[in-house]
Amino acid sequence: MAAISKKNPVDLIFSFVTAIASFSVIIFILGILYVLVSESSLAISRFGIIKFLTSTDWNPVTESFGALTNIYGTIVTTFLSLLIAIPVAIGIAIFVTEISPNFLKTPIGIAIELLAAIPSIIYGMWGLFTLSPIMSNYVEPFLKKITAGIPLVSVLFQGTPMGIDILTASIILSIMIIPFTASISRDSFNLTPAVVKESAYALGATKWEVVKNVVIPYSKLGVFGGIVLSLGRALGETMAVAFVLGNNHRITTSLLDAAATITVTLANEFAEADNDVYLSALFYLALVLFVMSFITLAIAKFFLLKAERKYSR
Amino acid sequence: MKVLLRIALVLAVMFSMTHVEAAETLNGAGATFPYPVYSAWAFDYNKITGVQLNYQSIGSGGGVRQITERTVHFGASDDPLKPEQLQKDRLLQFPAVIGGVVPVANLDGINPGQLKLDSDTLCKIFLGEIKTWDAAAVQKLNPGLKLPQGEITVVYRSDGSGTTAIFTHYLAEACPDWKNKVGEGKAVKFPIGIGGKGNEGVANYVKRTRNAVGYVEFAYAKQNKLDYAQLKNKAGNFVEPGFASFEDAAETGDFDAKKDFHLWLTNAPGKGSWPIAGATFILLAKEKTDTNKNVVKFFDWAFKNGDNKAKELVYVPLPKSLKEKIKAYWKANGLQ
């Protein structure tokens, strides 16, 4: 107590205000959790936890609801979009920090930030009117052709190329999340001390070797943090996906099939859900997404902390 | 102190004035389908009376929920509530305007209105039992047409909607298989196909996908120049969708004020009736007589002066006999 009372009163007020700001976050999260749990209690008691998570039936007419198709769609689109986005984003970051001439750095940087500023509904409209015809007319028939006959891979490209499917949705998602990973990776690449890089060059390392052995290991944690941020965005993205995914409550093996994600189902069906169980089931879905995001972020944080400790040793 | 009192007085006067102004605003929420015509009517009505109508098109289900919770002056739904439910939630209900849902397809070399279908083939197509357009059942209805061979892609509404409610009600009524396997509602589990968001989404997918079939409100079929189909109605005639056939359905539909006008306009008995027509309804909270009177004033004005505007926007105005029934209903409930 003595230590605090010695402090300047302004400092006291300052620490008090920041503490309130931080605690408000926790209160918000708890408030959201409370609303989700209480609103979904009807569906929880009706369907249970295991049954809701494993049932693929989503049928408002018979009031029978299961989340598995939605969970599947969410995971697959998120995974695919990260698969596409991460290499591109890191490529952009390496180019901007290590390779590009100075006069190009600013325009590319601004372009990346603009990409993050575009509202998701615009991505959705663009996906529906521009990207999806291109996908269905050119890209998907081509993918079908080159993968035909290859076991396992050809399964991924079965069916009629419609352009309204998991693949198109994942590509749009990946474009949306590239800026997050790219700009954070760029910032952490920039933090690599110039002395270290110069020493490597002095030892005769090539540019590729410097990037591979110095820059990337040095900024691994930052890049990983950027990926986690992208992951969160991809899990929760709604409007852009709603336009090109087709809201199809079935589990399919082909990437050329329509699917449904949790957020898309919520956006599409919330306004018209007219009976209590239906509404409650939608809240239950939201709760599932909340828990899913929490778990993935917790796992990511765990690895981040582990890596940090290993690094600081 | 005196200054404070004066400020309080001025504030009180100001508040009471804004309160008067607030009474001049009508808040409504619900179905997206009639939104264009309600807002066009509201614009004209505002010019004449100064009354603001603020309509949020959040969907029929949302409209029902909002009026049940009494957060708006009126709700709107494409899906008529049953008299028992109206009784339970103390609501009044009357129709406002009529529209039609049209099956649309993307068929090479076939013009809008050329394809003929009946409820049975439509049902089998949407169930996935008829897989190609040149299947015998479809070909039989279209002896003169050269139908394409490719596989049919079914397109449905991915968002919950009154359009889906009307369409699935029609299928369930006409086709026992549909009723048993899928059922009816604003969102149903379609056995095959892909979902488009909104009427525009469905129209877009159908327009782009060869051999696709879907269902949209008539205005969207026309705007997008889609191949809409003729349908065989209850009387056994093939009819084209359009004002005449929607109007015929509206006139032969037996709207009963005793049942709060609860009626589906599907499979209407008239000779020239379009089989998938539907009215959209207004819901009022029974005990709020004062605001209800204002809402009724607006619709009374619209019924008298709004028919041309409605037609311009491809809606069918209510037939005269029905308007009179509604007026009697208002009077009986002390709203006019």
Side-chain angles (χ1 to χ4, degrees):
Chain A
M1 276 315 274
I4 293 173
S5 60
K6 257 187 223 161
K7 267 191 186 166
N8 187 322
V10 177
D11 253 11
L12 257 181
I13 295 169
F14 181 64
S15 46
F16 185 64
V17 168
T18 50
I20 286 181
S22 317
F23 281 120
S24 68
V25 174
I26 295 175
I27 290 169
F28 282 142
I29 297 270
L30 288 178
I32 292 168
L33 190 64
Y34 170 75
V35 169
L36 290 180
V37 171
S38 69
E39 291 286 335
S40 58
S41 59
L42 180 65
I44 294 175
S45 66
R46 173 92 53 110
F47 306 113
I49 293 172
I50 306 286
K51 200 181 152 216
F52 188 72
L53 291 180
T54 54
S55 163
T56 57
D57 195 24
W58 184 265
N59 192 339
V61 177
T62 57
E63 294 185 6
S64 154
F65 298 102
L68 191 60
T69 54
N70 296 297
I71 295 172
Y72 170 81
T74 307
I75 291 175
V76 170
T77 50
T78 303
F79 176 74
L80 261 183
S81 63
L82 285 175
L83 205 64
I84 302 168
I86 291 171
V88 178
I90 293 179
I92 293 173
I94 292 175
F95 181 77
V96 171
T97 53
E98 306 298 326
I99 296 165
S100 110
N102 264 332
F103 71 92
L104 266 179
K105 279 183 184 170
T106 323
I108 293 179
I110 291 174
I112 293 170
E113 270 135 35
L114 270 181
L115 213 55
I118 296 172
S120 62
I121 185 96
I122 308 272
Y123 279 108
M125 303 299 272
W126 173 78
L128 176 61
F129 290 109
T130 309
L131 182 64
S132 111
I134 296 173
M135 293 296 289
S136 71
N137 292 337
Y138 306 105
V139 180
E140 289 172 359
F142 172 74
L143 286 173
K144 259 178 95 81
K145 216 167 89 191
I146 57 163
T147 57
I150 308 172
L152 290 176
V153 181
S154 65
V155 175
L156 295 176
F157 301 100
Q158 272 172 350
T160 329
M162 293 279 304
I164 298 138
D165 46 39
I166 297 173
L167 187 62
T168 312
S170 306
I171 289 176
I172 291 188
L173 262 184
S174 70
I175 298 171
M176 293 185 66
I177 60 179
I178 280 173
F180 292 87
T181 313
S183 59
I184 291 180
S185 305
R186 181 195 56 189
D187 292 348
S188 37
F189 287 166
N190 273 335
L191 290 178
T192 318
V195 190
V196 185
K197 278 195 280 182
E198 276 155 20
S199 330
Y201 281 123
L203 288 173
T206 61
K207 202 157 233 174
W208 163 239
E209 282 166 341
V210 170
V211 168
K212 187 174 65 133
N213 299 328
V214 178
V215 177
I216 290 185
Y218 203 90
S219 41
K220 220 166 31 190
L221 288 179
V223 174
F224 193 70
I227 292 172
V228 171
L229 209 61
S230 295
L231 175 73
R233 170 99 201 229
L235 273 177
E237 180 44 45
T238 311
M239 284 330 284
V241 185
F243 278 89
V244 290
L245 197 56
N247 204 26
N248 172 5
H249 292 287
R250 275 178 295 250
I251 290 184
T252 57
T253 52
S254 170
L255 300 183
L256 306 187
D257 270 321
T261 70
I262 293 177
T263 50
V264 169
T265 304
L266 290 177
N268 274 332
E269 301 184 19
F270 206 81
E272 296 282 0
D274 49 3
N275 61 56
D276 295 343
V277 184
Y278 193 2
L279 199 62
S280 181
L282 288 171
F283 271 105
Y284 199 178
L285 261 191
L287 180 65
V288 169
L289 180 63
F290 190 87
V291 174
M292 262 170 75
S293 314
F294 183 78
I295 292 174
T296 35
L297 289 180
I299 292 174
K301 268 272 157 353
F302 172 74
F303 280 116
L304 208 61
L305 277 178
K306 216 172 139 190
E308 225 163 324
R309 238 174 262 144
K310 198 170 144 198
Y311 215 58
S312 55
R313 233 187 276 153
Chain B
M1 244 359 239
K2 263 187 185 168
V3 179
L4 267 183
L5 256 175
R6 237 179 248 169
I7 291 173
L9 201 72
V10 169
L11 279 179
V13 171
M14 272 167 69
F15 270 116
S16 63
M17 272 164 76
T18 51
H19 190 75
V20 171
E21 241 173 294
E24 298 288 318
T25 306
L26 293 173
N27 290 316
T32 49
F33 155 64
Y35 171 69
V37 67
Y38 290 171
S39 58
W41 284 344
F43 181 75
D44 291 345
Y45 189 62
N46 178 255
K47 272 197 294 196
I48 298 164
T49 62
V51 177
Q52 281 269 354
L53 182 93
N54 169 20
Y55 183 76
Q56 302 167 39
S57 58
I58 54 169
S60 299
V64 174
R65 214 178 312 132
Q66 296 240 0
I67 188 69
T68 309
E69 283 165 13
R70 305 296 196 259
T71 48
V72 286
H73 295 132
F74 70 93
S77 171
D78 297 337
D79 190 352
L81 296 185
K82 293 208 176 83
E84 306 89 74
Q85 199 185 343
L86 293 167
Q87 198 78 44
K88 200 186 98 210
D89 293 325
R90 290 167 288 115
L91 296 174
L92 298 170
Q93 172 175 270
F94 62 88
V97 72
I98 285 163
V101 178
V102 186
V104 288
N106 179 338
L107 299 167
D108 280 346
I110 292 174
N111 294 326
Q114 275 191 322
L115 180 73
K116 288 179 181 169
L117 293 172
D118 59 12
S119 58
D120 199 48
T121 49
L122 199 59
C123 174
K124 281 190 174 135
I125 289 171
F126 273 85
L127 280 174
E129 286 167 16
I130 293 179
K131 290 193 168 61
T132 57
W133 286 110
D134 62 349
V138 186
Q139 194 71 68
K140 211 176 123 193
L141 296 170
N142 299 279
L145 284 184
K146 198 182 172 308
L147 292 162
Q149 293 176 330
E151 203 175 315
I152 298 174
T153 306
V154 170
V155 185
Y156 54 83
R157 281 284 289 272
S158 62
D159 46 343
S161 83
T163 314
T164 303
I166 294 171
F167 187 70
T168 52
H169 184 85
Y170 161 76
L171 287 181
E173 212 173 49
C175 168
D177 248 17
W178 184 270
K179 194 174 181 177
N180 296 333
K181 285 183 187 158
V182 185
E184 57 179 286
K186 289 190 274 265
V188 304
K189 193 181 182 184
F190 282 92
I192 50 160
I194 55 165
K197 193 159 167 44
N199 272 299
E200 62 280 8
V202 174
N204 182 290
Y205 289 180
V206 171
K207 202 173 174 180
R208 239 179 38 209
T209 315
R210 196 169 284 175
N211 299 322
V213 67
Y215 58 93
V216 291
E217 271 138 22
F218 183 56
Y220 288 89
K222 255 195 138 168
Q223 275 163 20
N224 290 292
K225 298 192 179 64
L226 294 168
D227 291 336
Y228 51 80
Q230 292 185 40
L231 277 180
K232 197 178 193 174
N233 64 14
K234 210 176 182 183
N237 302 324
F238 281 103
V239 282
E240 278 216 34
F243 279 119
S245 59
F246 297 165
E247 213 162 19
D248 196 278
E251 265 161 19
T252 51
D254 181 23
F255 284 98
D256 188 352
K258 276 186 208 128
K259 291 190 218 153
D260 300 283
F261 304 100
H262 175 271
L263 178 74
W264 289 93
L265 269 185
T266 49
N267 291 309
K271 267 185 198 158
S273 295
W274 179 251
I276 332 179
T280 180
F281 295 83
I282 298 296
L283 297 163
L284 297 172
K286 237 177 204 169
E287 73 284 355
K288 292 196 172 170
T289 324
D290 288 345
T291 53
N292 284 352
K293 274 183 182 161
N294 290 333
V295 175
V296 161
K297 236 185 241 166
F298 168 72
F299 282 101
D300 192 37
W301 174 89
F303 286 168
K304 276 183 197 136
N305 307 293
D307 285 4
N308 285 331
K309 199 65 174 196
K311 276 185 193 162
E312 255 172 54
L313 296 165
V314 207
Y315 293 87
V316 180
L318 301 183
K320 218 172 168 193
S321 56
L322 180 54
K323 282 180 183 167
E324 265 147 32
K325 273 191 212 168
I326 295 171
K327 280 196 102 163
Y329 179 77
W330 288 340
K331 284 217 174 85
N333 285 288
L335 300 180
Q336 213 187 16

